[in-house]
Amino acid sequence: MTNITKNSILTALTKIIDPELGQNVVDLGMVKGLVIKDGNVGFTIEVGSNQGSEKEPIRKACEKAVNEIPGVLSVTAVLTAEIKNNTSQRNSEQMKQNGEPENQGQTNSNQKKPREIPGIESIIAVASAKGGVGKSTTAVNLAIALAKEGNKVGILDCDIYGPSAPKLLGLNGKPEIIPPNRLKPMEAFGIKCMSIGFLIDEESPMIWRGPMVMGAIEQMLKDVEWGNLDILVCDLPPGTGDAQLTLSQRVALTGAVIVSTPQDIALLDARRGINMFHKVDVPVFGIIENMSYFTCPKCNTRSNIFNHGGAKSTADEMGVEFLGEIPLDILIRKTSDEGIPITYGQPDSEHSLTYRRIASKVAQIVASATASGHHQPPPIKIM
Ligand code: ADP
C-alpha cells in the first residue's frame, strides 16, 4: 500500500491504448487530476466532447489496470470532456428532445461568471429534481461522512422555502453575529452549517420573490464566516427552478451529485436534473439511489418497494457515475427525525459504512476535479 506512487499508476496506465489514436492514454495527456489517498486512487480521463460513451471502455480498462497494482484499494476514473462553445446549444437540443421547458436556457451560462468563495476549496451541490426522495437526509449524512474522511466540511441548506438542515442536525437557536455584519455558522457533528431556518421563524409564512431567493443564498455563502473548508455541501431545493440554475451559474460549483429513488417517475426527473447541470456546464459527479430496497427486520426478506437499480441504469445510459445505493430503512428515518444523523450516531452501522463508501468516492472525484483545475469556471462536463 505504501508503494503506490503517481509514477507506478502512470506506468500502469501507459498500457492502456486509445484504439482510435493508437497511443497510450498517458502520452496522449488524457490522465488528469491524479489523487492518491490511503490506497484509494482517483483521476479523470479527458476525452473529446461527445465521446463519453465511446470512450467508456478506456475508462474501465484504466480502472482495471490501476486496480491490479498491489496495495490499491479502490479506483475511481471519471471521463470528462472539454466543452466546446456550442455546448449550450447542443444541450438545449438535448433538453428539447427530453421535453424540457426551453425557458431554462434564458439565463445562459455565458452571461455570468461563476464566483469562488475565499477559503472554500470545493463546492458540491446535492440535488434531486423531485421532492421527498431523501435528498436532504443524504446530503447531511454525506457531509458528515466526508468530515469523517478527514475533510473540513460545511453544509449550506439552500432550501429557502423548506429548510431542513436545522432539524436533521438537531440544531436550534440563532447564529452568532460577528460585527459588523457577518454570521458565524452553527456547528454540529463536526460540520459547519447555515440555513435560513436559523434566521426566520419556522412557523411564519415567508413570501419569497425570485431574486430574493438567490440573494438569501448568496448572503449565506458570502456573509458567513465559513473559514477554511475542503468541501461545502449545498443541499439544493428540489426541482430545476431558479434557485438551482442561478446557484449553478453564480457560484463556482465543483460538481453536482444527484439523489433519486429507483422508480421511473423519479428517474425521469433525475434526467432533467442532470441535463440542467449539463446545460450550465456543471459536472455531474454521479447518482445515488436512495430508498433502493427494503430488508424486513423480522424475516430478512428483501422487497424492492420503489423498484431497484433504476439509478444505476440511468447513470450508465447518461454516462455519469453510479455512486451507490442506500436502502429504505427505519433507522435512517428515525435518526433523521431525532436530529442525530446515522453516520454520526451509529458510525459503524451498515448504512453508515455505505454513506462512507459513497463519500469516499465523492471525495476522490472532487479532489481530481479540483486538482485538474476544473472548477473555475467549469470548462468541462462529466460525460
Ligand atoms: P427531500 O430532501 O428529498 O425532500 P428528505 O431527506 O427530507 O427528502 O426525506 C424525506 C423523508 O424520508 C424523511 O422523513 C426522511 O427521514 C426519510 N428518508 C430519507 N431517506 C431515507 C431512507 N434511506 N430510509 C428511510 N427513510 C428515509
Side-chain angles (χ1 to χ4, degrees):
M1 188 150 105
T2 44
N3 293 332
I4 308 164
T5 58
K6 288 201 171 181
N7 265 346
S8 62
I9 290 164
L10 291 175
T11 307
L13 288 173
T14 52
K15 292 184 202 119
I16 311 304
I17 312 288
D18 182 327
E20 192 192 339
L21 303 169
Q23 249 183 306
N24 76 64
V25 290
V26 178
D27 290 348
L28 285 167
M30 289 164 77
V31 180
K32 297 275 162 69
L34 178 56
V35 177
I36 309 164
K37 196 179 166 228
D38 304 331
N40 302 301
V41 181
F43 53 91
T44 57
I45 302 165
E46 257 183 25
V47 297
S49 52
N50 277 338
Q51 288 190 307
S53 42
E54 210 176 294
K55 302 284 180 182
E56 177 61 16
I58 295 186
R59 188 191 70 78
K60 285 212 170 109
C62 287
E63 277 194 351
K64 187 162 177 286
V66 176
N67 228 340
E68 281 166 4
I69 301 174
V72 168
L73 300 176
S74 76
V75 188
T76 310
V78 178
L79 285 177
T80 66
E82 275 187 55
I83 285 195
K84 296 239 169 86
N85 289 338
N86 64 357
T87 303
S88 296
Q89 192 192 334
R90 187 162 49 78
N91 283 337
S92 162
E93 274 152 22
Q94 219 173 47
M95 289 176 95
K96 265 193 257 168
Q97 277 168 20
N98 285 319
E100 291 175 47
E102 264 213 272
N103 63 3
Q104 297 199 325
Q106 276 170 2
T107 40
N108 183 300
S109 62
N110 297 328
Q111 284 172 2
K112 283 177 188 124
K113 284 264 183 279
R115 194 180 305 150
E116 291 209 321
I117 312 293
I120 304 183
E121 189 71 21
S122 51
I123 306 178
I124 56 169
V126 176
S128 69
K130 185 173 178 287
V133 300
K135 168 191 50 63
S136 298
T137 306
T138 308
V140 159
N141 279 297
L142 184 64
I144 295 174
L146 284 166
K148 285 190 179 285
E149 293 284 303
N151 298 289
K152 286 192 218 102
V153 180
I155 185 160
L156 174 61
D157 182 359
C158 296
D159 197 340
I160 301 297
Y161 296 96
S164 50
K167 186 173 170 246
L168 289 171
L169 291 168
L171 283 166
N172 41 49
K174 300 249 179 270
E176 244 176 72
I177 295 173
I178 304 169
N181 55 4
R182 288 178 73 75
L183 286 175
K184 198 170 167 214
M186 305 286 270
E187 279 195 58
F189 313 123
I191 59 173
K192 294 182 177 172
C193 175
M194 184 47 68
S195 166
I196 199 82
F198 299 134
L199 308 173
I200 56 163
D201 181 1
E202 231 182 296
E203 309 279 298
S204 66
M206 284 292 292
I207 299 163
W208 296 93
R209 293 179 194 281
M212 287 164 70
V213 171
M214 195 50 217
I217 296 175
E218 274 201 306
Q219 259 188 300
M220 290 195 293
L221 270 164
K222 290 189 292 147
D223 299 343
V224 168
E225 204 65 52
W226 289 106
N228 290 327
L229 291 182
D230 294 313
I231 302 176
L232 178 68
V233 175
C234 290
D235 179 10
L236 295 194
T240 49
D242 273 357
Q244 291 79 357
L245 208 61
T246 327
L247 188 79
S248 310
Q249 291 169 340
R250 301 258 281 267
V251 177
L253 284 179
T254 317
V257 168
I258 310 283
V259 180
S260 179
T261 50
Q263 79 272 40
D264 282 351
I265 184 76
L267 289 166
L268 206 72
D269 288 317
R271 279 195 189 91
R272 255 172 193 272
I274 292 170
N275 281 327
M276 184 204 74
F277 285 114
H278 280 171
K279 181 152 182 71
V280 290
D281 299 345
V282 171
V284 174
F285 287 160
I287 309 184
I288 299 173
E289 182 165 290
N290 190 36
M291 309 188 185
S292 188
Y293 56 90
F294 172 76
T295 307
C296 173
K298 292 204 176 104
C299 64
N300 222 21
T301 307
R302 178 172 153 152
S303 325
N304 296 332
I305 294 182
F306 300 117
N307 214 338
H308 177 256
K312 166 108 181 60
S313 41
T314 301
D316 290 347
E317 208 180 285
M318 297 200 72
V320 302
E321 193 88 358
F322 178 64
L323 295 167
E325 54 187 39
I326 298 153
L328 177 70
D329 194 298
I330 195 154
L331 209 57
I332 297 178
R333 205 270 307 141
K334 263 182 88 176
T335 47
S336 291
D337 280 357
E338 285 161 2
I340 307 173
I342 191 164
T343 34
Y344 189 88
Q346 303 182 35
D348 299 323
S349 64
E350 193 193 325
H351 305 323
S352 295
L353 297 178
T354 305
Y355 282 118
R356 288 287 291 271
R357 274 193 295 276
I358 293 174
S360 163
K361 262 192 193 174
V362 170
Q364 276 179 50
I365 299 174
V366 168
S368 298
T370 312
S372 51
H374 277 170
H375 67 306
Q376 196 242 346
I380 53 148
K381 92 176 169 160
I382 304 283
M383 304 294 289

